[in-house]
């Protein structure tokens, strides 16, 4: 009985460890996406600043695929602002997900610890008996 | 030399294990390498930006330039570069703007400024990291050598206080004995002398005082020897009108101390090592506290004192020893007192009277004494 309980506990630990590693991968991916978004946000803010310095009759083009499409100053301004808002919202969402992931990681780690303790107790008990 | 002294000897390697110190050092070195790479990249950007700006400014010199136009991957053909003043500048995120040469160089200039500010930030970070790395390096080396840290309790009578090998200043042991120096004995005597003198002065004041309600004399009997070092070195001490010390931190007291009217209570106090002061708080004290804080802004001396004493206090945070004498002065007495003070240089060093005439207090009856600040 004791060895089978031991094996069960070890199985459980493995599964929990797998879950934990998956969570960690998710966290790193989240970090990367967040970094990308942060860079884009910075870039867009720069663009907005430059657009503000342009006067009305300047020609603005947007690169869509291989085509440079002529755009209006007002239009370009609106687009850039919308994009900034979108990116900020995405960042906030990612922050929330990251928090959730971290909490889950924490729980998993605690669970693993408890399992390990149980295993140790079992093993100690076995060696004593 | 160490009769009856208790001490601890700790090996540095037990405090900062060698491997861990080395690991930490490696980590910091990696961070440094990464930042250096980023710094290099930014520098590259800056140089590219400046060469581009040069080109942009030179292009409109001609109406058209004769050039070799690249054709495919491996061929060129001769051609002409026209519209030399029209530039399509990438603003970012796929947006281009048609600009003239001058406007383009302005844009590039702004970009260069952003890059430079980033470089500055990176350099500052790099400095910090390098300081950290050198610290770890030193600690690792010392731990490897097997340096020991010897700490001994301070014994009052002993004249030769053992110095210790304190390395890496990481241990903030609150034991004040660890900071004793060799001058302790002479300072002890000096200190005792000063205390006697102050006692005499107090008696004189008490005799001269007639106003019973306004007079309060308090003296802090607890003068540890440890204060002597600090007191003699302490040049800025305020005579404060703050009887209530229990609820304020020492630093707050010192910094707030400022001018006071003559017939207000005065206190001389030394920063105490242990907060054993039993000061009677009076209602007057509350009033003065407010007045002090309102006038504290302009006083440089108070600032000096504050910094001075806070520096001292950093070393001896737990204790406070001081002498607090409260007086009710008329200007004559004030003069006398200050003269008495001047007479004794040792006391002068201890007590700094900071008074400002503009200190307004309703209870002050308009008299102020001019005290010298020493």
């Amino acid at each position: 009985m004791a060895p089978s309980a031991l094996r069960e506990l070890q199985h459980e630990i493995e599964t929990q460890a797998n879950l934990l590693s998956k969570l960690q991968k998710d966290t790193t991916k989240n970090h990367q996406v967040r970094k990308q978004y942060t860079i884009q946000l910075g870039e867009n803010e720069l663009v907005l600043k430059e657009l503000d310095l342009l006067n009305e009759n300047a020609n603005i083009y947007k690169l869509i695929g291989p085509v440079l499409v002529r755009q209006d100053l007002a239009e370009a301004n609106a687009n850039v602002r919308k994009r900034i808002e979108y990116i900020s919202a995405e960042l906030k969402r990612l922050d929330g997900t990251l928090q959730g992931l971290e909490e889950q990681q924490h729980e998993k780690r605690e669970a693993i610890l408890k399992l390990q303790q149980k295993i140790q107790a079992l093993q100690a008990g076995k060696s004593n008996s | 030399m160490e009769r009856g002294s208790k001490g601890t000897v700790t090996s540095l390697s037990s405090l900062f294990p060698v491997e861990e110190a080395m690991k930490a050092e490696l980590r910091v070195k990696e961070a440094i390498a990464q930042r250096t790479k980023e710094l290099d990249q930014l520098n590259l950007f800056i140089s590219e930006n400046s060469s581009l700006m040069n080109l942009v400014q030179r292009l409109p010199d001609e109406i058209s330039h004769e050039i070799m136009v690249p054709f495919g991957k491996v061929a060129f053909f001769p051609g002409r570069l026209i519209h030399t003043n029209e530039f399509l500048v990438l603003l970012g995120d796929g947006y281009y703007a048609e600009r003239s040469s001058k406007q383009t160089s302005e844009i590039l200039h702004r970009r260069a400024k952003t890059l430079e500010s980033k470089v500055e930030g990176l350099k500052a970070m790099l400095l910090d990291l390098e300081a950290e790395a050198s610290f770890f390096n030193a600690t690792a080396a010392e731990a490897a050598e097997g340096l020991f840290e010897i700490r001994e309790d301070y014994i009052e009578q002993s004249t030769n206080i053992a110095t210790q090998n304190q390395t890496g200043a990481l241990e903030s042991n609150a034991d004040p004995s660890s900071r004793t120096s060799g001058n302790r004995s002479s300072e002890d005597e000096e200190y005792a002398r000063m205390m006697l003198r102050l006692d005499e002065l107090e008696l004189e004041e008490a005799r001269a005082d007639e106003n019973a309600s306004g007079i309060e004399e308090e003296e802090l009997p607890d003068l540890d020897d440890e204060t002597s070092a600090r007191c003699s070195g302490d040049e800025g001490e305020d005579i404060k009108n703050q009887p209530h010390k229990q609820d304020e931190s020492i630093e707050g007291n010192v910094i707030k101390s400022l001018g006071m009217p003559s017939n207000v209570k005065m206190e001389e106090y030394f920063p105490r090592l242990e907060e054993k002061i039993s000061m009677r708080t009076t209602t007057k004290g509350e009033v003065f506290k407010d007045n002090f804080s309102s006038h504290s802004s302009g006083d440089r001396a108070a600032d000096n004192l504050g910094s001075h004493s806070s520096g001292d206090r950093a070393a001896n945070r737990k204790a406070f020893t001081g002498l607090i004498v409260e007086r009710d002065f008329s200007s004559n007495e004030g003069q006398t007192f200050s003269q008495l003070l001047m007479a004794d240089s040792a006391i002068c060093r201890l007590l700094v009277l900071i008074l400002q005439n503009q200190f307004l207090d309703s209870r002050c009856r308009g008299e102020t004494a001019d005290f010298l600040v020493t």
Side-chain angles (χ1 to χ4, degrees), chain A residues 24-35 94:
Chain A
Q24 277 173 341
K25 272 193 229 145
D26 286 340
T27 324
T28 29
K29 233 183 13 170
N30 198 310
H31 273 297
Q32 279 174 347
V33 182
R34 264 178 101 243
K35 237 196 285 192
L94 279 177

Side-chain angles (χ1 to χ4, degrees), chain A residues 43-44 50 53 59 61 63, chain B residues 93-96 98-99 110:
Chain A
E43 200 177 340
N44 274 301
E50 290 287 348
L53 290 169
N59 304 327
Y61 299 87
L63 185 68
Chain B
D93 201 25
Y95 282 94
Y96 291 80
E98 213 176 11
R99 305 256 83 197
R110 265 175 262 139

Side-chain angles (χ1 to χ4, degrees), chain B residues 101-119:
Chain B
S101 154
K102 196 152 151 284
Q103 293 159 332
T104 316
S105 57
E106 279 174 20
I107 294 182
L108 290 178
H109 186 69
R110 265 175 262 139
R111 274 194 211 157
K113 275 222 219 108
T114 344
L115 280 175
E116 271 173 28
S117 66
K118 274 201 201 154
V119 165

Side-chain angles (χ1 to χ4, degrees), chain B residues 298-329:
Chain B
D299 197 289
R300 254 185 336 112
D303 290 345
N304 290 341
L305 176 59
S307 61
H308 197 82
S309 48
S310 61
D312 285 346
R313 224 153 267 120
N316 299 309
R317 202 166 298 144
K318 280 204 283 187
F320 174 89
T321 307
L323 170 72
I324 298 183
V325 176
E326 292 181 281
R327 306 253 173 276
D328 196 270
F329 282 106

Side-chain angles (χ1 to χ4, degrees), chain A residues 1-127:
Chain A
M1 302 305 103
S4 71
L6 192 64
R7 256 180 267 128
E8 272 180 33
L9 284 177
Q10 280 177 339
H11 266 297
E12 273 203 52
I13 275 203
E14 276 179 33
T15 38
Q16 297 288 348
N18 288 343
L19 287 173
L20 187 67
S21 63
K22 200 164 93 58
L23 279 177
Q24 277 173 341
K25 272 193 229 145
D26 286 340
T27 324
T28 29
K29 233 183 13 170
N30 198 310
H31 273 297
Q32 279 174 347
V33 182
R34 264 178 101 243
K35 237 196 285 192
Q36 266 235 338
Y37 272 135
T38 324
I39 295 179
Q40 282 189 355
L41 185 68
E43 200 177 340
N44 274 301
E45 289 189 351
L46 265 181
V47 176
L48 198 61
K49 258 201 288 189
E50 290 287 348
L51 283 180
D52 286 338
L53 290 169
L54 289 177
N55 46 8
E56 273 297 324
N57 52 0
N59 304 327
I60 304 185
Y61 299 87
K62 180 147 169 77
L63 185 68
I64 303 184
V67 182
L68 268 183
V69 180
R70 179 92 186 270
Q71 274 212 338
D72 211 11
L73 180 64
E75 213 180 314
N77 261 320
N79 283 345
V80 174
R81 271 181 231 271
K82 273 219 203 77
R83 190 152 166 78
I84 288 182
E85 281 176 26
Y86 169 73
I87 294 183
S88 328
E90 278 289 312
L91 269 180
K92 264 203 228 142
R93 195 179 57 90
L94 279 177
D95 275 341
T97 336
L98 188 66
Q99 277 251 352
L101 280 179
E102 276 183 7
E103 278 174 26
Q104 282 181 350
Q105 263 191 355
H106 197 65
E107 286 171 19
K108 286 282 177 288
R109 278 206 203 101
E110 283 184 2
I112 287 187
L113 263 179
K114 283 199 203 117
L115 288 175
Q116 277 180 342
Q117 283 172 355
K118 268 201 248 172
I119 285 192
Q120 280 176 357
L122 259 188
Q123 284 179 338
K126 267 205 312 190
S127 58

